[in-house]
Amino acid sequence: MTINIPQKAEQILHILNEAGYEAYVVGGCVRDSILDRVPGDWDITTSALPEQVKELFHRTVDTGIQHGTVTVMMGKEGFEVTTYRVDGEYHDGRHPDAVTFTRSLEEDLKRRDFTINAMAYHPGNGLVDLFGGMEDINRKIIRCVGDPVERFTEDALRMLRAVRFSAQLGFTVEENTKAALSRMSGNLEHVSAERIQTELVKLLVSDHPDYLRTAWETGLTREFLPEFDACMETAQNTPHHCCSVGEHILKSLTEIENDRLLRITMLLHDIAKPVVKKTDENGRDHFKTHGPAGEKLAGKILRRLKFDNVTIRNTCRLIRYHDLRPTPDAEDVRRAVNLIGEELFPLYLKVQKADLLSQSTYRREEKLARLSGVTEAYQGILERGECTSLKTLAVSGKDLIKAGHPAGPALGALLERLLDCVLKDPTLNTKEKLLETAEKDSIKTE
Ligand code: ATP
Ligand code: MG
């Protein structure tokens, strides 16, 4: 087993070894190298104490000095070098009260979360795999190092990491580890919203976003996204669907490209369906207004998970309009672009496609035909450079004032009416024609 270590990381190992210390690359980079994935960062674990590391290298940053981590700068690149350590008692269900340094690599590997993350590598000594990490990689299994219940009791974040790694790698959570997830899921209350958000996003933008199902099966979503559990429990008795709202959501995640905003949108696009569901006298279910209701509920959820305002705004807007269905008529599409927004419209088309492909096949051809008609009409609008917002209207408020129209709130309304004319007939979008239209308009409204 050989791993190609970047030269700078190898140099760090060499300098530490020359000074008489042990040093290995460890954790995610070893796992990813074995899996032929590109490691995000190359972490180093060493028997040298932080002060000793700092003596050996010119430029270091005290990244997490109390946990033994020093970042060694090699040119512009930083490498985290952490002293072999044992974590002390855990009292808050998330962080060790204290850490102690040790001279034993085995002790250091034992404190790591999963067997696949607990391997170290040194170009001279080869792979150090004390907990069957290689075997678990081959069997595609996420398994805790040691007793899973204990490990999740120590640090509840590990539960989300288990599901996230399984989604990123396409691995199965091993039986005992999975049982421990179910048993300990309530401990997620010890994990901050920010950490939950980070893990959730990593899961969503992975190759297997539908592995969120594992988080549901084990009771994890009940803790941080109970609205999703409600979706899993909501049947849809309508020809358009063949499964529960939750299963439809999971399918839709796999039908959309791997993009953060799009995946978050699909996760929440139907989140209000359980709330607005109405069953008619024939037993058929209806979900009227689930778009606007979803916008509201998604906003609440995203704020609770401490998402940034731009993400919240864009996601909520896409959710509000995800079920808007313009005809392929150019005017209808221009009005939809105006309503949804020029930046978001192309994303809205992707959301609709993924949504549609996750429904039953009932009238699918017809639905796809409408959507490709709309997409074509939209392309035409772009090619012809037609105006779909006040931004590109050929007159501004200033122009209207100059032409003698009174400033004030009436001016905004006048601009909106002019835009309305242009959405109907794009050839009107010249200054001359619009001033003329404005003139007639004000005579009419006087
Ligand atoms: P990635 O960086 O791709 O998310 P990673 O495995 O490198 O994956 P990091 O969070 O960077 O994950 O952590 C580096 C290593 O530290 C892990 O591989 C694991 O050995 C250990 N580790 C990280 N977080 C924990 C934790 N909460 N409990 C136990 N060990 C952990
Ligand atoms: Mg990492």
Side-chain angles (χ1 to χ4, degrees):
M1 166 97 255
T2 29
I3 288 178
N4 264 331
I5 303 180
Q7 210 204 332
K8 287 170 182 165
E10 190 152 358
Q11 211 177 329
I12 296 175
L13 298 186
H14 183 73
I15 291 171
L16 285 161
N17 291 160
E18 285 292 294
Y21 305 111
E22 292 177 15
Y24 293 80
V25 292
V26 70
C29 62
V30 176
R31 174 200 71 219
D32 288 342
S33 299
I34 295 171
L35 283 165
D36 257 334
R37 297 167 69 95
V38 182
D41 34 35
W42 290 82
D43 295 332
I44 291 164
T45 186
T46 179
S47 61
L49 294 169
E51 287 309 316
Q52 295 168 326
V53 173
K54 286 166 74 172
E55 269 169 32
L56 287 172
F57 298 92
H58 301 304
R59 290 193 303 130
T60 62
V61 183
D62 288 359
T63 320
I65 196 85
Q66 68 281 30
H67 297 112
T69 304
V70 169
T71 298
V72 171
M73 297 305 298
M74 302 292 275
K76 282 193 180 135
E77 225 177 321
F79 293 84
E80 288 195 356
V81 178
T82 305
T83 304
Y84 292 167
R85 68 173 217 227
V86 189
D87 295 339
E89 298 268 313
Y90 284 76
H91 280 110
D92 65 356
R94 177 65 194 96
H95 311 92
D97 302 340
V99 305
T100 31
F101 301 132
T102 159
R103 302 285 298 176
S104 153
L105 173 62
E106 178 173 355
E107 289 292 324
D108 181 82
L109 294 178
K110 218 191 258 175
R111 71 163 171 95
R112 295 174 184 272
D113 46 9
F114 306 109
T115 58
I116 60 167
N117 287 348
M119 290 183 282
Y121 178 82
H122 180 280
N125 309 349
L127 187 72
V128 181
D129 173 16
L130 306 174
F131 309 104
M134 196 66 193
E135 195 186 330
D136 286 346
I137 282 188
N138 289 329
R139 293 167 62 186
K140 296 177 171 280
I141 282 174
I142 307 289
R143 180 203 307 271
C144 280
V145 174
D147 176 42
V149 170
E150 247 171 62
R151 304 313 307 280
F152 294 152
T153 309
E154 290 171 350
D155 177 0
L157 178 68
R158 290 172 187 155
M159 297 193 282
L160 284 180
R161 284 171 61 88
V163 181
R164 184 258 286 189
F165 283 120
S166 95
Q168 285 178 325
L169 306 174
F171 282 24
T172 318
V173 181
E174 176 272 335
E175 208 178 310
N176 284 323
T177 300
K178 192 169 173 184
L181 288 178
S182 299
R183 197 169 138 191
M184 305 308 297
S185 56
N187 275 29
L188 218 53
E189 66 174 347
H190 302 299
V191 181
S192 71
E194 288 84 354
R195 285 305 194 122
I196 291 175
Q197 184 211 118
T198 308
E199 292 300 324
L200 176 63
V201 169
K202 284 186 180 180
L203 192 163
L204 289 175
V205 300
S206 72
D207 281 354
H208 303 275
D210 54 319
Y211 282 26
L212 180 68
R213 188 185 284 102
T214 311
W216 169 72
E217 285 166 350
T218 53
L220 290 168
T221 53
R222 185 163 293 286
E223 300 300 317
F224 69 91
L225 196 58
E227 297 86 351
F228 178 74
D229 288 58
C231 291
M232 291 300 280
E233 289 151 17
T234 301
Q236 311 189 80
N237 187 16
T238 134
H240 296 285
H241 284 277
C242 46
C243 52
S244 68
V245 177
E247 286 295 340
H248 161 72
I249 288 176
L250 292 174
K251 175 93 168 58
S252 76
L253 285 168
T254 66
E255 291 288 356
I256 203 142
E257 68 191 64
N258 191 346
D259 170 86
R260 178 177 174 276
L261 182 65
L262 290 174
R263 291 268 168 96
I264 298 172
T265 301
M266 291 330 288
L267 172 67
L268 300 176
H269 78 285
D270 276 351
I271 201 74
K273 272 190 168 179
V275 187
V276 302
K277 175 170 164 171
K278 292 253 156 41
T279 308
D280 68 20
E281 59 280 6
N282 302 317
R284 189 171 157 171
D285 295 330
H286 300 271
F287 302 93
K288 296 237 167 67
T289 73
H290 78 278
E295 173 189 32
K296 260 199 174 154
L297 186 53
K300 199 176 125 197
I301 293 167
L302 293 170
R303 279 190 296 276
R304 188 177 76 212
L305 292 174
K306 303 273 197 283
F307 276 87
D308 61 284
N309 289 332
V310 176
T311 304
I312 296 177
R313 192 177 343 114
N314 289 337
T315 309
C316 287
R317 203 169 175 79
L318 284 170
I319 292 173
R320 177 184 184 95
Y321 294 117
H322 81 270
D323 212 24
L324 182 80
R325 290 187 293 266
T327 70
D329 171 71
E331 177 184 341
D332 219 16
V333 177
R334 282 191 296 271
R335 290 191 184 280
V337 176
N338 176 247
L339 192 63
I340 294 165
E342 289 170 334
E343 289 88 46
L344 288 180
F345 195 80
L347 302 186
Y348 150 86
L349 292 175
K350 292 180 182 180
V351 168
Q352 284 219 321
K353 179 109 185 242
D355 190 3
L356 206 162
L357 292 176
S358 319
Q359 297 170 358
S360 68
T361 50
Y362 173 68
R363 292 195 174 173
R364 178 169 288 183
E365 291 312 308
E366 185 186 324
K367 293 176 185 178
L368 281 171
R370 185 200 61 85
L371 187 55
S372 60
V374 170
T375 307
E376 254 171 63
Y378 172 63
Q379 246 118 40
I381 291 165
L382 289 183
E383 275 157 28
R384 296 186 298 273
E386 288 170 2
C387 163
T388 48
S389 76
L390 284 178
K391 249 192 311 193
T392 48
L393 194 69
V395 292
S396 65
K398 257 193 201 153
D399 297 328
L400 292 174
I401 292 170
K402 237 196 245 165
H405 295 274
L411 196 69
L414 175 57
L415 278 166
E416 286 296 342
R417 285 198 298 279
L418 293 177
L419 175 61
D420 189 73
C421 297
V422 167
L423 290 173
K424 199 178 180 77
D425 177 4
T427 64
L428 287 179
N429 197 28
T430 68
K431 203 164 180 173
E432 199 188 348
K433 285 186 188 163
L434 286 176
L435 287 176
E436 196 181 307
T437 312
E439 189 62 36
K440 283 188 210 148
D441 177 283
S442 47
I443 294 166
K444 224 176 22 196
T445 49
E446 256 165 26

